[in-house]
């Protein structure tokens, strides 16, 4: 079974960190959660949050004061890209 340390190690930015650093990150991390397509995620932490997308797609956006959506990032994991490539 894959551990949180294994998942963190799979992230390029964390790949070369020592186990002690990964353990500290894992201690403050929330448990992994699976979301359904189209589900809205709002952590309420703003700039203080880090979300890792293991598989699938995600859109990171903010609403302006006048209600317009400002898209910050469109994320597409390797796993999802390979799946969509094989469908085309």
């Amino acid at each position: 079974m894959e551990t949180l340390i294994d998942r963190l190690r799979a992230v390029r930015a964390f790949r070369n960190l020592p186990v002690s650093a990964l353990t500290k990150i894992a201690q403050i991390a929330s448990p992994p959660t699976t979301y359904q397509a189209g589900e809205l995620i709002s952590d309420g932490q703003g700039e203080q949050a880090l979300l890792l997308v293991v598989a699938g797609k995600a859109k990171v956006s903010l609403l302006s004061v006048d209600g317009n959506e400002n898209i910050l990032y469109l994320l597409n994991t390797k796993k999802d890209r390979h799946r969509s490539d094989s469908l085309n």
Side-chain angles (χ1 to χ4, degrees), residues 6-61:
D6 295 329
R7 287 183 176 204
L8 289 171
R9 172 107 34 231
V11 176
R12 189 179 330 163
F14 300 148
R15 190 167 293 147
N16 296 319
L17 290 178
V19 173
S20 59
L22 293 171
T23 301
K24 287 180 182 180
I25 294 169
Q27 289 172 343
I28 62 170
S30 300
T33 305
T34 300
Y35 296 98
Q36 298 300 313
E39 187 172 351
L40 177 65
I41 304 167
S42 176
D43 67 2
Q45 297 201 23
E47 297 174 1
Q48 300 301 314
L50 172 66
L51 300 172
L52 301 177
V53 179
V54 175
K57 299 176 185 179
K59 175 174 67 173
V60 179
S61 64

